[in-house]
Amino acid sequence: LAQLASQDLLRPERTAKESQDGGSTGEPAKPREFNIAGWTLHHIGGTFVFVVFCLFVCWPLPIIKQEWDQYNEFIAGGKDTFRDYLKYRFTDWFTTNEGAPSLMLIFLTMTLIVFGAIIYSALVGESPSHALWRIFVWASGSPAEKEVTPAGRFLGILVTVCGMIILSLLFGIVTEVFAAKMNESRQGLQKVVEGG
């Protein structure tokens, strides 16, 4: 055991320089990063999140165009504006589609994280890919005390508050679904399937 300790084999925090030449420089060892043509894993993941968000934002554009055409054909000329019509159609979709609350929750969360990462990157000067992770951690209710810049701290507070609002929406949706199922069960509205 003494021989192993003298050879530094029991020290888990061997530094990068020590690993290469056996010397001691005091620098902490850096983990190896996945790298493809200069792109690390966090850059690939960050780009993926940004692309998915852009697709998610562009997805309703053809639907809005279709609603615009329908509004012009049947409703235009009256006292109701296109904005009023869109509010009505959104409310109708939100209340009749079972997956609508979940989709809106995902959209709000992605919007908060992506825009927060872009703003953080612009204010602090960090990579947008790194900023995505920091904003995600803040939005999930984790503390932002490790941030050192005033702009980053301010953004950390805003994102944490918005993340708490989104988290409370999630709890509200889960509670509502559970209460609706319990109500269906109490009223005997569920299909009865029994064997003889």
Side-chain angles (χ1 to χ4, degrees), residues 113-186:
I113 292 171
V114 169
F115 280 111
I118 291 169
I119 293 169
Y120 182 82
S121 179
L123 290 176
V124 179
E126 191 171 334
S127 154
S129 298
H130 282 152
L132 276 173
W133 173 250
R134 185 173 298 260
I135 297 298
F136 171 76
V137 169
W138 288 348
S140 64
S142 296
E145 80 261 356
K146 292 185 180 180
E147 180 57 43
V148 293
T149 64
R153 287 179 179 172
F154 177 73
L155 186 64
I157 291 169
L158 286 179
V159 169
T160 301
V161 169
C162 291
M164 288 169 44
I165 291 170
I166 289 174
L167 189 61
S168 65
L169 286 172
L170 173 65
F171 289 149
I173 289 170
V174 169
T175 303
E176 184 178 326
V177 168
F178 183 72
K181 292 295 181 189
M182 291 298 291
N183 194 25
E184 285 178 10
S185 180
R186 285 189 193 113

Side-chain angles (χ1 to χ4, degrees), residues 65-77 82 85:
K65 170 70 169 97
Q66 180 182 359
E67 295 296 336
W68 172 254
D69 293 341
Q70 193 169 359
Y71 170 80
N72 284 330
E73 185 176 341
F74 298 111
I75 301 169
F82 180 62
Y85 176 70

